[in-house]
Amino acid sequence: MTSPDLAALRPRLPSPVEEIADGRFGRHGIRLLLKRDDLIHPDLIGNKWRKLAPNLAAAAGRTVVTFGGAYSNHLRATAAAGRLLGLPTVGVVRGQELSDRPLNPSLARCAADGMRLRFVDRSTYRCKSEPETLAGILREVDARDAYVVPEGGSNSLAVRGCRALGEELRARADVGVVALACGTGGTLAGLAAGLAPDQRVLGIPVLKGGFLGADIEGLQQHAFGGRRGDWSLDERFHFGGYARVPVELDAFAEDFEQRHGLPVERLYVAKLLYGLVALAAEGAFPRGSTVAALITGRPFP
């Protein structure tokens, strides 16, 4: 089997950096830049491109099996990649109870892009990385020789792929802090490794639980042999957990859209931007700082 020609997808790299004027930052002497990874590719958006591209190359034409919840951006991106590259894809979806319900718009898009969906109960899903459980899942989907990509796409190949993001920002000597929303932590793990020693990364987890720091350290250990870069997490802005978008957060996102003409993705980007506004008001960034916010996606559908 041969690797797919990813260059044929014509990604926009490096992604552009835009400065926006926002009084909530300006009054504190802070410049806000947006690293527009959402503009890399219309279907493989943002960090999904950076994490999936090296894995798609490694798949070398084999069926790609991966995992996610009912609203997973990663599942949609993988399905789109399969359609564009002619690769068969299987999405293992958390929640057996969903199998008897109509597909939500996110999963319907996956199916329309040719992804076979397999719903599994939540206890099985929690054990999906255990060899015996994984082997059973692959048998059930008739894909024993498949290339397996973990939930969220975060593995060593993905982490090393995201190092290029840090290298793109490394040349921006004016950028002191790079901030991003985090799900599985793979993007942060790679980004931090690519930045200059005097630049730091601030991660805003979108899930609650306090486990992400250890996960990121594990990803860096596997990808680079140890911790890399200056990074930290602020766990206060998950708004109750993944896919939770209360009225306050939705109103903030709408206001940001009106101020700057930027469509704000709610599950990740809105929490990042909300957190940065709050941190600026708290004095977390010294006057004269330049903060680059990583825009990893856009609203769906």
Side-chain angles (χ1 to χ4, degrees), residues 44-120:
L44 280 72
I45 298 168
N47 59 341
K48 301 308 175 189
W49 167 272
R50 297 186 188 273
K51 293 199 288 187
L52 272 175
N55 278 288
L56 294 170
R62 286 177 287 167
T63 297
V64 175
V65 174
T66 194
F67 304 83
Y71 294 92
S72 170
N73 295 325
H74 168 68
L75 285 183
R76 288 202 310 274
T78 304
R83 170 176 56 81
L84 293 167
L85 296 171
L87 290 174
T89 59
V90 178
V92 180
V93 185
R94 180 179 62 248
Q96 178 65 42
E97 70 277 5
L98 301 174
S99 62
D100 297 325
R101 302 177 187 173
L103 297 179
N104 67 30
S106 185
L107 293 177
R109 175 69 63 83
C110 292
D113 279 339
M115 175 175 274
R116 288 193 290 131
L117 299 175
R118 173 71 177 183
F119 298 90
V120 300

Side-chain angles (χ1 to χ4, degrees), residues 70-178:
Y71 294 92
S72 170
N73 295 325
H74 168 68
L75 285 183
R76 288 202 310 274
T78 304
R83 170 176 56 81
L84 293 167
L85 296 171
L87 290 174
T89 59
V90 178
V92 180
V93 185
R94 180 179 62 248
Q96 178 65 42
E97 70 277 5
L98 301 174
S99 62
D100 297 325
R101 302 177 187 173
L103 297 179
N104 67 30
S106 185
L107 293 177
R109 175 69 63 83
C110 292
D113 279 339
M115 175 175 274
R116 288 193 290 131
L117 299 175
R118 173 71 177 183
F119 298 90
V120 300
D121 64 85
R122 293 171 188 270
S123 60
T124 299
Y125 192 90
R126 283 194 295 271
C127 300
K128 61 188 178 298
S129 60
E130 297 178 4
E132 186 175 340
T133 301
L134 177 59
I137 291 172
L138 294 179
R139 284 195 302 270
E140 289 178 9
V141 299
D142 194 24
R144 292 175 177 81
D145 298 324
Y147 182 84
V148 178
V149 179
E151 182 177 26
S154 292
N155 58 10
S156 293
L157 283 176
V159 170
R160 288 192 286 267
C162 289
R163 181 168 51 188
L165 172 58
E167 292 167 351
E168 290 173 22
L169 288 165
R170 185 185 184 99
R172 296 288 306 235
D174 55 331
V175 173
V177 179
V178 182

